Amino acid sequence: MINFKKTIYLSLVAGGLIGGGVVLQACEDDFLDRKPLSDLTTANFYTSADDAIAALNAAYDPLQWDVHSRMDWIFGDVVGGDTDKGSTDDQDYSEILQFQNFTQVASAPLLMDFWSQSYDGVYRTNLVLERIPPIEMDETLKARILGEAKFLRAQYYFDLVKAYGRVPIITKVLNPDEVFVPRPTSIAENWDQMEQDLREAIPVLPATYSGGDVGRATKGAAQALLAKILLFQSTPDGCSSSPYATSDKYEEVVTLTNEIINSGNYSLLKNFPDLFTLAGENSSEIVFAVQGVGGTGGWNNDNDGLALNQWVSPRTAEVSGWGFSTPIGPLTPEGYGGNPKIKVNNIVEAFEPCDPRLDYSILMIGDTINGQRYDYARKDKDSPWSEFKPWSRTRYSIQKFLIPEDQLTGAANSPLNITLIRYADVLLWNAEALNELGRSAEALVSLNKVRTRARESKTAATCPLPATTTSQAELRDLIMLERRRELAFEGHRFFDLVRTCRASAVLTAMGRPFVEGKHNLFPIPQAEIDRNPALQGDQNPGF
């Protein structure tokens, strides 16, 4: 696993589109002996292979920040209708409620956090790609480092584009007179840049790593991200409102996902819940994950632990979470949050009752978690769990990502990785693309691998049974439902709805006031528009 604190690394500050200063930190004595920290600058730092690795590690660092620990579940799960904002009341972090109710405005701080942190990542990758090539070092290692940086730049841009649509394309370190960059006229230009980066990364990245390099971008990770980017550009029949669409690229999605499937480097874990434990980190199912290193000191972005566990764990006297992003189900109070349709098409009832993933994904009344009875309290540590006291206002909490309290290493400092791409996702992309190409019988193979693993995760489970339909329309719906079940609370739901033109129908039926053509994308942060003249007059529709 990569531990970014095991080497000197650059903390390169980029405010929005403008690169800033340099802060250098160090841990290992052998690095400290090389030169005084006060003498290091961006001009003399990039001189050796060690410097190149340190700069690359700095480019990975923004992945650990808020975009994947916080914004993924807000924008993907809360906005996507599978969860409520949660916490103790509506006033606690009320900004999330604005996104849930589609009343967000361009000045929302969340939007600027997402934007600036993602562009910080872009800036760091651009530094690597600009400063590393002149270094005299092993050429194979250099090529790998540049390939990893291109993968990371594509990941940061993918995060930006799925949230905002067209975004400024910056592929070099900018001078002060170059910082006002406009959005491209077409989203295809954004996709083209990402595709180019990934196509150049794939040939130079290794299939696997060992030792301390486990967790770095691999060839399979680059192939998978490319497949995802191509899938976002493709649309099923009758879908005309996707803001991501260019032209259908299902054929290459099938080619790429088949290459991953046939590589032999990935497989589904036998037991579904193992994916969300420390023991399941970087397993055969993980294609790419944000690496968490607990106990590294500091708060939130200042440490190498991750905050997801903190955000979504229940908030009780004996569980240290904050209780956000709580699932909605049949036990959710009628009219909760002033929404009479709150239970329509809820995530709990989206599962078949016999599907093991329901129990593994969602905590509900009577479940046991870390030796405690969910939705109950006790008078003292020697008393039984007999006093009914709901842990969540919706009566449910997320089960995924909850590791035992004694494995946590401080608030917002969890060692548990956050998976961005896993093999089950690749199989479902493969099934989706095959079905859209009219090869529905072939699509069943990949779909049923995911369903079979789910059923076999629990002894004597009777579902989900293998799918048999070869009707393209029926299978399309079933694949989307399978994505909702398999990938629940992993930040994909809203974007799946938008890219397949289902958001309006699904969310309005759930009482969410989604407006087609406006809420498909989030607004460009107002602060960024105010300081960048090239963005003025080019806000997303409706904002």
Side-chain angles (χ1 to χ4, degrees):
M1 176 187 295
I2 306 170
N3 185 338
F4 300 105
K5 297 289 186 180
K6 287 185 177 178
T7 183
I8 293 179
Y9 68 86
L10 294 175
S11 179
L12 302 161
V13 181
L17 303 181
I18 303 175
V22 178
V23 177
L24 291 159
Q25 301 185 12
C27 280
E28 288 189 339
D29 292 341
D30 57 338
F31 280 75
L32 288 170
D33 290 341
R34 291 181 54 207
K35 63 184 75 171
L37 296 184
S38 59
D39 291 344
L40 290 172
T41 68
T42 55
N44 66 20
F45 179 75
Y46 303 92
T47 59
S48 69
D50 287 342
D51 295 343
I53 290 291
L56 176 64
N57 287 351
Y60 276 92
D61 197 39
L63 291 175
Q64 298 176 323
W65 299 352
D66 288 329
V67 170
H68 300 297
S69 284
R70 176 164 54 114
M71 281 75 146
D72 276 359
W73 59 262
I74 295 174
F75 292 169
D77 303 325
V78 176
V79 177
D82 280 348
T83 64
D84 173 69
K85 176 190 81 71
S87 193
T88 53
D89 53 50
D90 285 350
Q91 285 67 51
D92 190 10
Y93 207 163
S94 59
E95 184 185 353
I96 301 174
L97 200 61
Q98 296 169 19
F99 284 86
Q100 176 173 319
N101 294 330
F102 293 101
T103 59
Q104 72 268 21
V105 293
S107 58
L110 268 172
L111 296 171
M112 194 63 213
D113 288 347
F114 193 114
W115 180 280
S116 61
Q117 291 182 24
S118 298
Y119 270 110
D120 196 333
V122 170
Y123 173 62
R124 294 172 184 225
T125 61
N126 286 342
L127 271 171
V128 172
L129 293 167
E130 187 170 295
R131 305 295 176 85
I132 302 310
I135 296 177
E136 293 184 7
M137 57 181 290
D138 179 83
E139 291 299 320
T140 300
L141 176 59
K142 180 190 292 186
R144 193 203 84 190
I145 289 171
L146 298 177
E148 288 181 67
K150 289 176 181 179
F151 169 87
L152 291 170
R153 185 165 66 182
Q155 177 65 57
Y156 291 126
Y157 270 123
F158 174 73
D159 291 335
L160 285 160
V161 167
K162 74 177 184 180
Y164 303 107
R166 295 177 296 115
V167 297
I169 300 171
I170 303 171
T171 57
K172 66 175 186 175
V173 178
L174 301 177
N175 295 319
D177 61 346
E178 300 175 312
V179 297
F180 298 130
V181 180
R183 302 167 82 188
T185 57
S186 169
I187 198 170
E189 295 178 58
N190 284 117
W191 294 129
D192 288 347
Q193 177 58 50
M194 287 180 259
E195 288 182 39
Q196 178 181 333
D197 275 347
L198 292 167
R199 294 186 197 284
E200 292 175 0
I202 287 169
V204 297
L205 290 176
T208 60
Y209 292 95
S210 61
D213 287 325
V214 170
R216 294 187 180 278
T218 61
K219 175 181 179 179
Q223 290 173 312
L225 183 55
L226 178 57
K228 189 174 188 178
I229 284 167
L230 297 172
L231 190 66
F232 262 67
Q233 296 176 66
S234 309
T235 53
D237 289 344
C239 174
S240 61
S241 63
S242 170
Y244 311 122
T246 56
S247 60
D248 287 350
K249 301 186 177 184
Y250 291 120
E251 288 281 4
E252 191 173 1
V253 174
V254 170
T255 298
L256 286 163
T257 52
N258 277 342
E259 287 176 359
I260 296 168
I261 291 166
N262 295 330
S263 71
N265 293 320
Y266 304 98
S267 61
L268 296 173
L269 285 191
K270 181 178 180 180
N271 294 311
F272 179 81
D274 291 348
L275 282 164
F276 311 102
T277 65
L278 294 179
E281 289 184 331
N282 299 317
S283 67
S284 63
E285 186 160 345
I286 306 306
V287 180
F288 187 71
V290 180
Q291 303 292 305
V293 184
T296 45
W299 165 255
N300 202 15
N301 295 343
D302 292 329
N303 64 55
D304 283 329
L306 302 174
L308 177 61
N309 186 282
Q310 183 81 46
W311 283 107
V312 304
S313 292
R315 179 184 291 198
T316 74
E318 301 189 52
V319 181
S320 62
W322 293 332
F324 285 93
S325 194
T326 54
I328 297 164
L331 297 180
T332 299
E334 294 291 341
Y336 175 84
N339 181 2
K341 299 179 180 179
I342 188 67
K343 300 183 186 182
V344 173
N345 192 26
N346 65 77
I347 181 62
V348 173
E349 293 179 312
F351 289 90
E352 296 176 86
C354 55
D355 189 333
R357 293 172 299 188
L358 173 59
D359 290 337
Y360 294 146
S361 301
I362 300 174
L363 284 169
M364 57 189 74
I365 186 169
D367 284 349
T368 299
I369 177 71
N370 294 342
Q372 302 167 55
R373 190 179 180 194
Y374 185 77
D375 264 352
Y376 283 85
R378 56 185 178 178
K379 293 180 180 180
D380 55 60
K381 65 181 180 65
D382 297 319
S383 300
W385 295 87
S386 57
E387 179 186 356
F388 179 67
K389 188 175 182 180
W391 289 18
S392 156
R393 292 188 294 156
T394 64
R395 302 298 188 266
Y396 302 91
S397 296
I398 293 175
Q399 168 82 292
K400 286 180 177 178
F401 322 118
L402 304 191
I403 60 176
E405 291 281 303
D406 61 8
Q407 293 181 359
L408 298 175
T409 50
N413 194 358
S414 170
L416 186 67
N417 294 351
I418 299 174
T419 299
L420 301 188
I421 303 174
R422 57 187 176 92
Y423 186 55
D425 206 359
V426 173
L427 290 171
L428 293 173
W429 298 335
N430 180 261
E432 181 179 346
L434 284 167
N435 187 56
E436 295 305 330
L437 291 170
R439 297 160 61 182
S440 300
E442 295 175 69
L444 287 173
V445 176
S446 289
L447 174 62
N448 284 330
K449 287 179 181 178
V450 176
R451 292 170 66 85
T452 298
R453 188 274 298 276
R455 184 178 68 254
E456 293 180 352
S457 286
K458 181 180 288 187
T459 302
T462 58
C463 73
L465 294 173
T468 58
T469 182
T470 54
S471 160
Q472 186 184 54
E474 290 178 1
L475 193 53
R476 180 182 294 132
D477 289 343
L478 183 55
I479 290 168
M480 286 299 107
L481 178 58
E482 196 63 28
R483 288 188 58 80
R484 189 183 187 193
R485 294 165 171 169
E486 174 71 21
L487 303 168
F489 319 126
E490 296 180 43
H492 303 293
R493 177 61 173 168
F494 177 69
F495 303 104
D496 277 349
L497 293 175
V498 170
R499 70 176 178 83
T500 59
C501 299
R502 295 167 180 252
S504 180
V506 169
L507 293 171
T508 54
M510 300 169 76
R512 305 286 183 102
F514 179 92
V515 176
E516 186 67 72
K518 175 181 180 179
H519 294 131
N520 310 66
L521 296 171
F522 298 103
I524 302 296
Q526 188 60 47
E528 193 63 31
I529 290 177
D530 291 344
R531 69 184 179 190
N532 183 355
L535 294 179
Q536 291 168 14
D538 195 13
Q539 178 60 278
N540 281 332
F543 293 101

